[in-house]
Amino acid sequence: MRTVIAGGHGQIALRLERLLAGRGDEVAGIIRKPEQAAALREAGAEPVVLDLEAASVDELAEVLRDADAVVFAAGAGPGSGVARKETVDRDAAVLLADAAERAGVRRYLMVSSMGADSDPRPGTDDTFAAYLKAKGAADAAVRHRTALDWTVLRPGLLTTDPGTGRVRLAASTGYGSVTRDDVAAVLAELLDTPSTAGLTLELIGGHTPVPVAVKDVAGN
């Protein structure tokens, strides 16, 4: 399998690249800065330098040629303002969907966020509220596409703790935290489980082994 990951230098993306490369898959990561390339090579991924805020659909579609799946794991990051939540977290995800359709790549995994469909909790700061709104809009833009076999994954609060390999994965899990290691493991398992297409899933830490958790939701 060849997978292209948008946001290839992100913390989840690098973990996923290591997993996929480690099992013998081909994996490419789209990055904005050339100096990020070394980290991708170390993870076993092919770095592709392309600014998703400036690229055209045709330019991105060329990168996706011969891919079996794409993963949107890009994000403007915690230090960015409201405007880049829209241009990266929303618009770049839509651009990837457009390019996947043009390149004929059906499988699309979206790394979203818990709460993306709901009103922000009281006290949520404006920037994070804008982030949730942008993620919700991106999810909606992908989920109506019949040319894509999409799965939207909405992790809870992300941590850098070591992965446990055990999670709770469901349409609704309630709020909780999950390690980035376990998010990457779930994404890898979703890539192997095409019957999860059409599902929007929340993810937090839990007690079910990742392969079993994905198998349990497949086709539901």
Side-chain angles (χ1 to χ4, degrees), residues 46-208:
E46 170 197 348
V48 178
V49 180
L50 186 68
D51 186 348
L52 295 177
E53 293 176 274
S56 68
V57 174
D58 286 338
E59 287 172 327
L60 185 52
E62 184 62 29
V63 172
L64 303 185
R65 194 173 304 279
D66 299 325
D68 299 294
V70 297
V71 179
F72 185 80
S80 61
V82 170
R84 295 198 69 229
K85 305 304 183 192
E86 296 176 355
T87 58
V88 179
D89 294 285
R90 183 191 66 194
D91 296 347
V94 174
L95 177 70
L96 184 66
D98 291 340
E101 288 186 346
R102 188 159 300 183
V105 182
R106 292 196 61 91
R107 191 70 171 118
Y108 185 114
L109 298 189
M110 172 77 86
V111 182
S112 184
S113 174
M114 189 173 291
D117 266 346
S118 57
D119 293 330
R121 291 180 169 187
T124 301
D125 70 78
D126 291 345
T127 301
F128 189 65
Y131 166 75
L132 291 177
K133 181 179 179 181
K135 295 301 286 187
D139 293 354
V142 168
R143 288 186 297 190
H144 82 275
R145 296 173 187 248
T146 58
L148 297 179
D149 295 327
W150 54 265
T151 303
V152 174
L153 183 65
R154 292 178 164 175
L157 178 66
L158 298 171
T159 76
T160 56
D161 296 334
T164 67
R166 294 178 177 271
V167 298
R168 183 178 180 193
L169 181 69
S172 178
T173 62
Y175 283 93
S177 63
V178 62
T179 72
R180 289 177 172 85
D181 286 346
D182 288 333
V183 175
V186 169
L187 289 168
E189 197 71 28
L190 290 171
L191 286 170
D192 287 342
T193 314
S195 54
T196 57
L199 300 180
T200 299
L201 301 167
E202 293 184 349
L203 173 66
I204 59 174
H207 303 289
T208 305

Side-chain angles (χ1 to χ4, degrees), residues 6-17 30-31 36 40 73-74:
H9 192 253
Q11 294 188 60
I12 290 172
L14 286 169
R15 287 166 166 82
L16 179 58
E17 287 156 6
I30 299 172
I31 53 177
Q36 297 170 334
L40 271 73

